[in-house]
Amino acid sequence: MNIRHSKYKNTGIIFELLVRQITADALSGKNSKAVDILKKYFNKTELGREYKLYENLLKRTNLSEGKAEVAISTVLENAKHLNRSALKRQKYNLIKEIKDHYDLEEFFKTKLPHYKAQASIYTLIESAHGEKKISIDQIINNKISLIEHLTSIKQVKEVKDDILTEFAQYDKDTRILAYKILLDKFNTKYSDFSENKKSILKEFIYSVDNNNKLKDFYNTKIDEFKNKLSSLNKSTKNQVTKIKINEVANLLTELNKKDKVNNDHMVNLLQYCDLIEELQQANGK
C-alpha cells in the first residue's frame, strides 16, 4: 500500500506558502492574515515541532551519503514522538482558517523549488508512525529522492548571478524580509513606489518559481505599456515628448518561448514604469 501525498497535509509546504503569502500581502499594502495564522499554528505547537523536522532536512545540502542517511533516520526517529491526534486537529483547523481568508486553490497552486523533497519527507514521516502498512518500494524511492536532495551541491555562482533564484533559496526568516533586497537594488523606498511598480514586485516575488507565469506577466505588462505610449503619442503635441515616447516604445520587446525570466526583466519593467510615469507627467496626465 502506498501513502498518497497531500500538499494540504504537508506541514513544510503549508509553512512555505504562508510565508510567500505574507510577502505578497505586504507588497500589496494589505494587513496579512497569514502572519496571525503562522504565529497561531507554528509557535510552540505540534505543527511547529513537525515543521522543524522538515526544515532540518531541507536546509541541508552537500552532505555525504552516510551523513544524509544519519540526518534522515534522526528526523524520522524524532517524528515518532509527535502527538498524532494533536497534529491532525491542528492541521484541520489550519486549513480551515486559511480557507476563511484565502482562495485555497489559488493558495496552493504555487510551484515550490523543493516540492519533491518536501513530498518525500511527508511520506517518510507518515511511514515512521506505523499506522498503515506501506509499500517498501515507496519508502525506498522517497529515501533515495531525499538523499539526492541532501547530497546535492548548490550552484553558488548561479545563485549570486540571479536575484530571483537567490530569493527562491532563502530560509523562512530571510524570505519574509527578502523583498527589501529588491527595493534596495533600485535605491528607493517601498513607500515611494507607485501602485504599478508594487504590483510588478509582488508578481515577481510571488511567482519566483513559475517561469511561464512570469513570462506571461512580463509580456502582458509590455503590451500594457505599449498601449499607454500609443495613447500618449496621440495626445501630445510636444515634438520632444513624441521623440521620447518613440524611444521608449522601441525598447519594449516581448519575451519568446525560449527566454528565461530573470531579475533583469524585473528591472526593465520598473524602469519602463518610471519612464512612462515621467512622460505622463510631462504631458499633464
Side-chain angles (χ1 to χ4, degrees):
M1 176 180 178
N2 285 343
I3 293 176
R4 184 176 179 180
H5 174 248
S6 171
K7 56 188 177 182
Y8 291 88
K9 297 178 181 179
N10 189 309
T11 303
I13 287 176
I14 297 171
F15 184 95
E16 186 168 351
L17 291 177
L18 281 169
V19 173
R20 284 171 177 261
Q21 189 64 54
I22 291 170
T23 304
D25 290 344
L27 290 170
S28 299
K30 298 178 181 177
N31 181 21
S32 182
K33 295 293 184 182
V35 173
D36 296 329
I37 294 173
L38 200 65
K39 290 179 179 178
K40 179 178 178 180
Y41 288 95
F42 289 90
N43 185 24
K44 298 180 180 179
T45 63
E46 211 64 16
L47 266 175
R49 284 185 276 277
E50 184 175 59
Y51 171 72
K52 286 294 181 182
L53 300 181
Y54 281 82
E55 183 187 36
N56 199 283
L57 288 176
L58 288 173
K59 70 181 181 182
R60 299 177 187 275
T61 55
N62 200 20
L63 298 180
S64 66
E65 287 191 15
K67 288 182 178 179
E69 289 175 358
V70 169
I72 294 171
S73 61
T74 302
V75 164
L76 295 183
E77 184 61 33
N78 276 271
K80 294 177 181 178
H81 302 294
L82 293 171
N83 186 322
R84 291 292 287 172
S85 60
L87 265 178
K88 289 178 182 179
R89 182 175 65 255
Q90 288 170 17
K91 285 183 183 181
Y92 175 83
N93 291 332
L94 171 60
I95 293 299
K96 184 177 181 298
E97 194 152 344
I98 292 173
K99 188 177 180 180
D100 287 341
H101 300 288
Y102 300 101
D103 183 315
L104 270 188
E105 185 176 349
E106 187 72 20
F107 183 85
F108 278 99
K109 79 176 183 180
T110 302
K111 292 183 179 180
L112 300 176
H114 304 303
Y115 180 88
K116 187 176 181 181
Q118 288 169 319
S120 296
I121 295 171
Y122 170 85
T123 301
L124 292 173
I125 287 177
E126 290 297 302
S127 69
H129 291 295
E131 293 180 359
K132 300 176 183 177
K133 290 185 178 180
I134 301 164
S135 163
I136 296 297
D137 286 339
Q138 187 183 20
I139 294 175
I140 292 173
N141 289 337
N142 279 277
K143 280 192 175 181
I144 289 173
S145 293
L146 201 47
I147 288 173
E148 287 175 351
H149 168 80
L150 293 169
T151 56
S152 66
I153 300 174
K154 289 184 178 179
Q155 300 298 318
V156 177
K157 185 176 180 180
E158 291 182 11
V159 169
K160 288 183 178 178
D161 287 343
D162 190 339
I163 288 177
L164 294 180
T165 305
E166 184 178 358
F167 178 83
Q169 304 301 323
Y170 287 157
D171 60 30
K172 63 183 181 68
D173 295 320
T174 310
R175 189 187 293 273
I176 296 174
L177 301 175
Y179 71 92
K180 290 183 179 179
I181 295 172
L182 301 176
L183 302 180
D184 290 341
K185 183 178 177 65
F186 313 115
N187 195 27
T188 189
K189 294 180 180 179
Y190 171 67
S191 58
D192 295 331
F193 271 35
S194 66
E195 289 303 320
N196 206 0
K197 283 188 280 188
K198 289 178 186 177
S199 70
I200 291 170
L201 279 175
K202 172 187 173 183
E203 188 62 37
F204 268 76
I205 291 175
Y206 195 68
S207 303
V208 65
D209 307 309
N210 192 333
N211 188 67
N212 289 333
K213 186 178 179 182
L214 281 180
K215 193 183 301 179
D216 289 342
F217 175 78
Y218 182 90
N219 289 338
T220 298
K221 295 302 290 186
I222 291 296
D223 285 339
E224 178 187 316
F225 292 159
K226 284 180 178 178
N227 291 333
K228 286 183 178 180
L229 290 172
S230 177
S231 177
L232 277 170
N233 202 23
K234 291 177 182 178
S235 62
T236 186
K237 296 180 181 179
N238 187 299
Q239 290 303 312
V240 175
T241 303
K242 279 183 175 290
I243 291 172
K244 289 183 178 179
I245 290 172
N246 289 330
E247 287 176 350
V248 176
N250 290 333
L251 295 172
L252 303 180
T253 306
E254 293 183 10
L255 299 175
N256 60 45
K257 292 182 179 179
K258 295 182 180 180
D259 287 330
K260 181 173 176 59
V261 184
N262 56 44
N263 54 286
D264 289 335
H265 295 112
M266 179 177 62
V267 174
N268 289 342
L269 288 184
L270 290 167
Q271 289 176 337
Y272 296 152
C273 267
D274 279 333
L275 289 169
I276 291 173
E277 286 169 9
E278 287 175 10
L279 290 170
Q280 288 175 328
Q281 289 177 0
N283 199 40
K285 291 193 174 185

